[in-house]
Amino acid sequence: MMKKEYEIENLHCGGCASKIQYELDKLAELEGVNVDFYTKKLKFILKEEVNEDELIEKLNKIADKVEPGTYFKKVKNDDSKLSEDEDTHEHNHSHGNELISKLDLIILTIGITLFVVGLTLPKSLQKDIILIIAYGLSGYDILLNALKNLKRGKFLDENFLMSIATVGALALGDFGEAAGVMIFYKIGEFFQDMAVNNSKKSIEKLMSIKPEFANVKDKNGIIEMMNPSKVKVGDILIIKPGERVPLDGVIVSGTTTLDKSALTGESVPVIGEVGSEILSGSININGTIEVKTTKIYSQSTVSRIIDMVQSAGSKKAHAEKFITKFARYYTPLVVFMAILIGFGVPLFYDGNFKLWFSRALIFLVISCPCALVLSVPLTFFSSIGKGSKDGILIKGGNYLERLKNIDTVVFDKTGTLTKGSFKVTKVEVIKGSEKRLMEYAKAGEFYSNHPIGKAILNYGDVEISEWDIQGHNEKAGYGVNALYSGKEILVGSRKFLESHNINVELPETFGTVVYVAVDSEFIGRIFVEDEIKENSRKTIDELKSQGIDVYMLTGDNKKTGKHIGDILGIDEDKVCTNLLPQDKVSKLEEIKSKSKKGTIFVGDGINDAPVLAMADIGISMGKLGSDIAIESSDIVLMNDDPYKIIEALHLGQRNNQVVLENVGFALGVKIVVMILGVLGIANLWLAIFADVGVSVLAVLNASKILSKKN
């Protein structure tokens, strides 16, 4: 199986995007098909090996049959530098992608002018001719598209509905109404496209964090500008004031201030100095720095953010899937009902075919499902974009939808509710000296990536040589067994030492205690503390105020866990202590069994990956969190602030509210106007508002999420 992605050209209709996806879903060689109207991308998994050129040709035939002129093309390779010709092509293409071409605008303007002139004239043949010309100028493209689609057998779309309705009005002699309806339909479509385009631009603006170049300094001090994808791990980058950081790395020279707002949503700049980690996508504000790269471009923060946001559309919410399916059956149903109104009612009721045919035309205009097909996916698209802007990366509409139905949040303690930046607060020697105790402790923790191990390695001035370490074996969650200078060293928890038949006393204190033994003799313990994050208590208080149960999982002993739980305001019976990594899975299963709605797990470390994947929604800390935790999670918090969980829940609720507003408003207005049309109260003008006007308002309502403040 192979993942494929193609760009979509000339796709201008949300309904058509749904129809193309419906047709592509029928192909046996494809699965997981996603046609994204807003990013103009086609993504799918190819189940069998085929000739790619033949596949694209096959897909293009399907797309062109649904919407004439629509086709797919291969995604441009970012690894290649743009040539002058390619730059020109991109530039020209952007002009060809305007909302309405200059020629079409001129033709429509002439049509509107003739329409206004025609309305001022008294009833005459001249007036009728002018209005018919106005109709032709404003609606010729819609009529042509309807004819093309009719030939292709795919005619139940807005072009067909508008053509039948206005041609019918002409047949009834309502020339002014036919021309006016077509003109206002085109104007409404323009404003609808403009609203959608503005939302797309807001999303694209979020993607502007992508770096365009990297200045790489070689061993001779020569600086070369190159594509970020060509830079290797260990290369030295020169980053000047005002430039965007192209790859993740560590500052090796210089001091500056960094703007990370595009990544984390934090508006306050941070200081970057020698030794500081630096994330790609940040902006260097005021100092020239040299950075040693630690990741290639595809693994750097900026690349992963862009990939997550662009891939989010492939994981559709139930509401999006429902609207797509609804639209597929809705339009044929209303066309059938219009036929019954236009021909069935007069045939069996009063014989007034002209009256009921007119009402059937009104019914047809109202029936177009554009408001729903456009606004519901756009609502999810806008919400995911808003989250990205605020440092909350949501990997799909399905996860966003789940946020509205949560009753339990489970936190891992270290690095999530606490900073994960441990420091040694006390060293208690049982036998020997403190220097000897720290030497053996550092030998045991020498290869550790755990924050506690790093705190021990960074404490004091005792140094050891890696050459003196002859063996090293770590048991996750317990401790380390090492051979150092011929001595067997045990560094870890009380349980770890007791499992080796070494008795230790449990001190009367809070915090984490690391025990050290040499050659089966207990020689001392090291006390380590982790600082609680500033917004942890505020987050938990707000979750509880919303009726959400809050749990904390930790490997700490019961006394320490209870102490931290008291500080954070977590109920004692919901503080789960003495947990090994594998214990967290079973504990989460137990908690999930009590949940009536949905459960969120929040973690950051590599040991949290299985639990993140098992939760209804897994949320990871992206700033300090491990790569595997980020990959296993459904939502990533870029600045590690737990309060972002509250913002994510609010975003999920707001998204759901807008979806319900749009569905209720669109269907409500359409049903009311349909009834009024059948009763003879509504005319084609009101029908146009019920179609295009409602679509514009629904799209504007969906796009307001991007501009709304938390």
Side-chain angles (χ1 to χ4, degrees):
M1 290 191 178
M2 185 183 302
K3 289 183 178 180
K4 286 288 183 181
E5 180 178 317
Y6 296 126
E7 292 178 356
I8 310 174
E9 295 293 326
N10 299 330
L11 179 63
H12 306 297
C13 165
C16 295
S18 299
K19 292 174 187 175
I20 291 171
Q21 178 161 331
Y22 176 67
E23 295 298 328
L24 296 184
D25 276 330
K26 296 177 182 178
L27 299 180
E29 60 265 44
L30 310 184
E31 73 174 28
V33 177
N34 178 57
V35 178
D36 196 319
F37 173 63
Y38 297 103
T39 60
K40 297 294 190 290
K41 292 283 179 69
L42 165 67
K43 297 179 182 179
F44 58 86
I45 296 172
L46 191 60
K47 294 194 287 186
E48 53 192 67
E49 193 170 332
V50 297
N51 182 288
E52 188 165 19
D53 291 333
E54 291 178 3
L55 175 65
I56 291 178
E57 185 178 352
K58 184 177 181 180
L59 300 179
N60 286 343
K61 285 181 180 177
I62 294 172
D64 185 66
K65 190 173 182 180
V66 175
E67 184 175 7
T70 300
Y71 66 94
F72 306 108
K73 69 176 186 179
K74 295 178 184 178
V75 176
K76 184 179 66 184
N77 188 354
D78 280 336
D79 290 351
S80 59
K81 285 187 175 182
L82 285 175
S83 66
E84 198 171 313
D85 291 339
E86 288 174 313
D87 280 328
T88 305
H89 171 75
E90 291 293 323
H91 179 75
N92 290 338
H93 176 72
S94 67
H95 284 292
N97 213 19
E98 293 174 356
L99 292 175
I100 185 169
S101 70
K102 289 181 180 178
L103 178 60
D104 287 338
L105 186 60
I106 291 170
I107 293 172
L108 181 59
T109 303
I110 295 171
I112 293 171
T113 304
L114 290 174
F115 171 68
V116 173
V117 170
L119 289 180
T120 61
L121 296 174
K123 181 67 177 175
S124 63
L125 179 61
Q126 183 185 17
K127 175 176 182 169
D128 292 344
I129 292 172
I130 290 174
L131 289 174
I132 290 171
I133 294 172
Y135 169 79
L137 289 173
S138 58
Y140 75 95
D141 54 340
I142 291 173
L143 295 169
L144 286 174
N145 285 333
L147 285 172
K148 289 177 182 177
N149 291 341
L150 192 60
K151 289 180 181 178
R152 291 175 167 84
K154 302 287 183 181
F155 58 88
L156 291 178
D157 62 3
E158 66 275 15
N159 293 308
F160 171 77
L161 297 176
M162 286 304 304
S163 298
I164 291 294
T166 52
V167 169
L170 290 175
L172 294 172
D174 298 324
F175 304 121
E177 200 166 60
V181 165
M182 189 65 84
I183 286 169
F184 282 101
Y185 174 77
K186 290 293 288 287
I187 293 172
E189 285 282 287
F190 171 75
F191 283 112
Q192 176 181 289
D193 289 346
M194 187 167 65
V196 171
N197 203 49
N198 286 338
S199 295
K200 286 167 60 181
K201 283 181 178 178
S202 298
I203 300 293
E204 287 166 3
K205 189 176 180 182
L206 296 173
M207 298 298 97
S208 65
I209 60 175
K210 183 176 181 178
E212 297 178 355
F213 63 89
N215 291 316
V216 182
K217 186 173 79 170
D218 65 17
K219 294 177 181 179
N220 299 318
I222 298 172
I223 299 173
E224 179 186 358
M225 182 184 292
M226 63 173 61
N227 190 301
S229 62
K230 302 290 185 183
V231 180
K232 300 174 183 176
V233 173
D235 282 352
I236 301 298
L237 307 179
I238 305 296
I239 305 172
K240 300 174 184 176
E243 292 181 352
R244 195 174 294 277
V245 179
L247 293 94
D248 292 1
V250 177
I251 299 176
V252 293
S253 176
T255 302
T256 189
T257 307
L258 298 166
D259 177 3
K260 299 196 292 182
S261 59
L263 300 177
T264 65
E266 295 173 299
S267 57
V268 180
V270 297
I271 301 297
E273 53 193 4
V274 174
S276 298
E277 290 186 3
I278 188 168
L279 300 179
S280 55
S282 306
I283 295 176
N284 182 19
I285 298 178
N286 55 16
T288 299
I289 54 174
E290 293 187 12
V291 174
K292 185 177 182 179
T293 59
T294 55
K295 294 179 181 178
I296 59 175
Y297 176 72
S298 62
Q299 296 173 353
S300 287
T301 301
V302 66
S303 179
R304 289 167 67 185
I305 289 176
I306 292 171
D307 182 59
M308 284 181 193
V309 175
Q310 290 183 336
S311 299
S314 61
K315 296 168 183 173
K316 293 187 182 295
H318 291 302
E320 293 178 276
K321 293 177 181 177
F322 169 75
I323 290 300
T324 301
K325 186 178 287 188
F326 173 81
R328 199 158 60 237
Y329 297 106
Y330 168 81
T331 304
L333 176 64
V334 295
V335 170
F336 176 72
M337 290 175 68
I339 292 171
L340 285 180
I341 293 168
F343 298 99
V345 174
L347 186 63
F348 296 102
Y349 178 53
D350 63 359
N352 193 340
F353 281 91
K354 182 177 180 181
L355 172 66
W356 289 103
F357 182 62
S358 175
R359 292 180 182 182
L361 296 180
I362 294 169
F363 192 87
L364 274 178
V365 173
I366 302 165
S367 67
C368 187
C370 287
L372 298 173
V373 172
L374 280 171
S375 66
V376 172
L378 180 60
T379 304
F380 282 91
F381 190 68
S382 298
S383 295
I384 290 170
K386 169 64 175 170
S388 302
K389 186 178 179 182
D390 295 335
I392 305 168
L393 300 186
I394 303 169
K395 294 185 180 179
N398 52 339
Y399 307 124
L400 179 64
E401 189 175 48
R402 287 183 203 168
L403 285 173
K404 74 178 191 292
N405 206 24
I406 292 296
D407 62 2
T408 306
V409 176
V410 183
F411 289 94
D412 179 61
K413 187 203 74 170
T414 305
T416 305
L417 293 171
T418 61
K419 292 183 177 179
S421 53
F422 288 85
K423 60 180 179 180
V424 175
T425 57
K426 180 182 176 183
V427 178
E428 187 176 299
V429 180
I430 303 299
K431 186 173 183 181
S433 65
E434 180 177 324
K435 182 177 180 180
R436 179 171 173 262
L437 173 63
M438 292 308 303
E439 179 184 356
Y440 290 132
K442 288 188 176 186
E445 299 286 5
F446 191 83
Y447 297 108
S448 176
N449 286 319
H450 195 281
I452 292 175
K454 289 181 178 179
I456 291 173
L457 290 170
N458 292 332
Y459 179 78
D461 56 3
V462 176
E463 294 185 4
I464 63 170
S465 171
E466 184 178 1
W467 297 105
D468 293 329
I469 301 174
Q470 288 94 33
H472 182 276
N473 181 36
E474 182 172 359
K475 191 173 183 181
Y478 275 107
V480 176
N481 187 338
L483 190 64
Y484 173 73
S485 296
K487 296 183 179 294
E488 184 183 13
I489 300 168
L490 300 177
V491 182
S493 66
R494 180 170 62 94
K495 282 185 178 180
F496 182 60
L497 266 67
E498 288 178 346
S499 69
H500 287 76
N501 299 317
I502 301 172
N503 293 321
V504 298
E505 297 176 3
L506 184 65
E508 290 292 327
T509 185
F510 300 113
T512 301
V513 183
V514 178
Y515 298 85
V516 183
V518 177
D519 289 337
S520 300
E521 185 178 22
F522 176 47
I523 66 169
R525 49 192 161 219
I526 301 168
F527 298 83
V528 182
E529 285 187 9
D530 188 8
E531 190 178 348
I532 292 173
K533 290 182 180 178
E534 183 180 349
N535 284 331
S536 291
R537 177 65 191 247
K538 179 182 175 184
T539 302
I540 289 164
D541 287 345
E542 194 151 337
L543 287 171
K544 291 173 74 175
S545 71
Q546 295 178 25
I548 295 174
D549 290 331
V550 179
Y551 289 81
M552 182 181 76
L553 309 186
T554 177
D556 290 333
N557 60 56
K558 188 172 183 179
K559 186 180 291 185
T560 301
K562 181 181 180 301
H563 175 67
I564 294 171
D566 289 341
I567 294 173
L568 294 171
I570 301 175
D571 300 338
E572 185 177 349
D573 62 329
K574 290 172 182 165
V575 175
C576 309
T577 57
N578 293 306
L579 296 177
L580 297 173
Q582 60 267 30
D583 297 332
K584 292 179 183 178
V585 174
S586 57
K587 181 57 68 174
L588 182 61
E589 285 178 342
E590 179 188 325
I591 294 170
K592 279 184 70 177
S593 67
K594 300 175 185 176
S595 171
K596 294 179 181 178
K597 296 181 180 178
T599 302
I600 291 175
F601 179 83
V602 191
D604 80 313
I606 188 168
N607 293 330
D608 297 328
V611 207
L612 284 165
M614 192 181 76
D616 294 315
I617 299 178
I619 299 181
S620 67
M621 301 292 173
K623 184 178 177 183
L624 299 173
S626 68
D627 289 350
I628 191 170
I630 291 172
E631 293 302 320
S632 302
S633 60
D634 308 313
I635 298 174
V636 182
L637 308 181
M638 288 307 297
N639 69 353
D640 285 10
D641 181 358
Y643 194 75
K644 289 289 180 183
I645 295 166
I646 302 296
E647 293 181 16
L649 289 171
H650 287 167
L651 183 61
Q653 290 158 4
R654 191 157 66 243
N655 177 82
N656 183 57
Q657 180 186 345
V658 173
V659 167
L660 291 176
E661 285 173 357
N662 281 343
V663 171
F665 174 66
L667 287 180
V669 170
K670 284 181 180 292
I671 290 170
V672 169
V673 179
M674 279 179 179
I675 294 171
L676 294 176
V678 172
L679 296 175
I681 300 172
N683 57 17
L684 275 176
W685 302 100
L686 187 57
I688 278 293
F689 168 74
D691 175 28
V692 182
V694 169
S695 295
V696 173
L697 293 175
V699 168
L700 290 174
N701 190 42
S703 58
K704 74 180 182 182
I705 292 175
L706 278 166
S707 57
K708 192 167 184 177
K709 294 183 179 180
N710 294 322

